Amino acid sequence: MKKTVTTLADGRELLYYDSRDDVVREAADTRPLDAVSTASEIRRDPLLGDSVAIASHRQGRIYHPPADECPLCPSRDGRQSEIPEADYDVAVFENRFPSLAGDSGRCEVVCFTSDHDASFADLTEEQAGLVLDAWTDRTAALAQLPQVKQVFCFENRGAEIGVTLGHPHGQIYGYPFVTPRTELMLRSMAAHHAKTGGNLFDDVVAREEADGSRIVLAAEHWIAFVPYAAHWPYEVHLHPRRRVADLRELDKAARTEFPQVYLELLRRFDRIFGPGEPPTPYISAWHQAPFGVPGREDFGLHLELFTIRRTSGKLKFLAGSESGMSVFINDVPPETAAQRLREVASQ
């Protein structure tokens, strides 16, 4: 992998990740951009104890532009975008409309490919491996920022999820606090260790493998399953068999096998609802250990992949119980979801 670091016209950082070492990235961003002005603020909820990012400047972000005005496509034919080069493998840049900025953290955009009409599932294993390298490199870089306490790499796919740009891309958030979901995991991890002396992540994976009914895919270095208490209609957790705290600690064998396993999972997701159905909307989220917390080394890196589509033409909405009380109601038994995801394996 070759990494090239440059800046955009307004001073934001832009990074190219290329699979070939001989690629030269010299195109300049000549757009007449004003300096980025953000109003990001973190406010803590005294009742729940969690934090909310207030970011009113995001009201002006680009919303469903036509394909020929996509800001994530390469700059071609006289049209300039966020990426000055006429082509690229993987590109990462600071978000112009960040939810978190300055002392409040950092937000980055990850463009998986220059092909506007592709999806992550369309990537080759080499391309997917390069994205993994970019996620890892950015995790390492953001870990060095004093204001960042946790790094979150994720992808939103599909208009139903709320995606406003159709180009295949994801995001990376550097939070200035430990997120509420991770705090719950850390609390459960500590309680499990106090009760059993074991590691919660290891024991969850071992239980799922022993049961077998919710296993979706079992490879040499990765295992994917629908969790026993899945929140979403189709939800898969992907764990490396050798537990690590974050992406930086994956060994070569796990890194080599990841593209094959992950691409297979994404392609199965697109087959869940049968032929002729539109692409399955999903959220793909890496859960990494936060920095500087007790027991960090006992956290288990894993990826959670889920869709809000519960059946053909119907979405799972977060209504009263879910939104009001955080109690999920799942219409699809996890064992049924796992069976379906096994049925649609690539031939």
Side-chain angles (χ1 to χ4, degrees):
M1 177 191 78
K2 179 182 180 181
K3 180 172 75 170
T4 304
V5 182
T6 184
T7 56
L8 295 170
D10 53 12
R12 288 175 294 135
E13 191 172 33
L14 166 66
L15 305 98
Y16 295 101
Y17 294 88
D18 289 290
S19 57
R20 289 170 38 211
D21 291 335
D22 61 346
V23 175
V24 177
R25 301 297 186 187
E26 295 180 332
D29 181 12
T30 59
R31 295 173 296 171
L33 297 180
D34 295 329
V36 174
S37 177
T38 64
S40 180
E41 177 187 358
I42 303 297
R43 296 187 181 182
R44 190 160 181 82
D45 186 324
L47 294 182
L48 298 180
D50 60 7
S51 298
V52 177
I54 308 297
S56 60
H57 62 277
R58 284 175 54 79
Q59 288 280 31
R61 66 188 186 274
I62 298 172
Y63 186 80
H64 292 300
D68 61 358
E69 296 180 16
C70 175
L72 308 185
C73 286
S75 294
R76 295 173 182 166
D77 303 322
R79 190 187 70 82
Q80 295 180 303
S81 72
E82 288 281 65
I83 304 170
E85 291 286 344
D87 200 4
Y88 62 85
D89 288 350
V90 174
V92 178
F93 59 87
E94 289 183 76
N95 198 325
R96 186 166 172 80
F97 302 96
S99 304
L100 310 166
D103 293 339
S104 297
R106 180 164 166 131
C107 291
E108 299 180 342
V109 177
V110 184
C111 299
F112 303 139
T113 172
S114 60
D115 184 351
H116 179 85
D117 297 317
S119 68
F120 201 116
D122 296 322
L123 302 183
T124 65
E125 291 184 18
E126 181 183 24
Q127 289 173 310
L130 187 60
V131 175
L132 176 62
D133 290 341
W135 284 330
T136 305
D137 183 74
R138 296 315 299 153
T139 296
L142 296 183
Q144 301 304 311
L145 299 181
Q147 71 269 35
V148 172
K149 303 304 180 186
Q150 183 175 359
V151 176
F152 179 46
C153 307
F154 65 100
E155 179 192 3
N156 299 327
R157 202 278 283 267
E160 300 94 330
I161 297 293
V163 175
T164 57
L165 297 176
H167 194 103
H169 73 286
Q171 299 181 66
I172 302 175
Y173 279 16
Y175 292 105
F177 51 80
V178 179
T179 63
R181 188 173 177 85
T182 303
E183 284 188 335
L184 288 175
M185 291 185 193
L186 293 171
R187 191 182 313 161
S188 296
M189 184 181 76
H192 181 83
H193 181 72
K195 182 178 180 180
T196 69
N199 180 276
L200 177 60
F201 295 94
D202 292 345
D203 291 349
V204 165
V205 171
R207 183 183 73 174
E208 292 295 349
E209 191 158 31
D211 179 282
S213 64
R214 291 175 294 277
I215 297 294
V216 174
L217 191 156
E220 183 178 358
H221 302 287
W222 295 86
I223 184 168
F225 55 85
V226 179
Y228 174 76
H231 290 60
W232 300 96
Y234 291 90
E235 174 182 343
V236 174
H237 292 192
L238 176 63
H239 288 249
R241 290 188 180 274
R242 184 181 72 86
R243 175 173 47 82
V244 296
D246 63 32
L247 288 166
R248 297 174 295 178
E249 298 178 12
L250 288 173
D251 59 25
K252 183 178 180 180
R255 300 182 69 82
T256 299
E257 189 181 68
F258 171 77
Q260 175 186 350
V261 173
Y262 185 50
L263 290 171
E264 173 64 17
L265 286 177
L266 293 180
R267 290 162 185 167
R268 291 190 193 189
F269 256 60
D270 274 343
R271 298 189 189 100
I272 292 173
F273 304 104
E277 288 291 319
T280 300
Y282 65 73
I283 292 175
S284 178
W286 280 110
H287 291 266
Q288 305 194 78
F291 310 121
V293 298
R296 181 184 191 279
E297 66 279 3
D298 297 320
F299 191 89
L301 166 78
H302 63 286
L303 182 144
E304 297 185 5
L305 173 67
F306 61 89
T307 180
I308 62 172
R309 186 178 291 164
R310 57 188 174 88
T311 190
S312 179
K314 297 179 181 179
L315 300 180
K316 164 65 179 176
F317 291 102
L318 300 189
S321 185
E322 291 89 354
S323 295
M325 297 303 285
S326 293
V327 178
F328 276 67
I329 301 169
N330 190 351
D331 300 317
V332 181
E335 295 75 16
T336 302
Q339 175 61 33
R340 179 58 181 160
L341 287 163
R342 289 193 295 267
E343 291 172 351
V344 295
S346 297
Q347 301 299 320

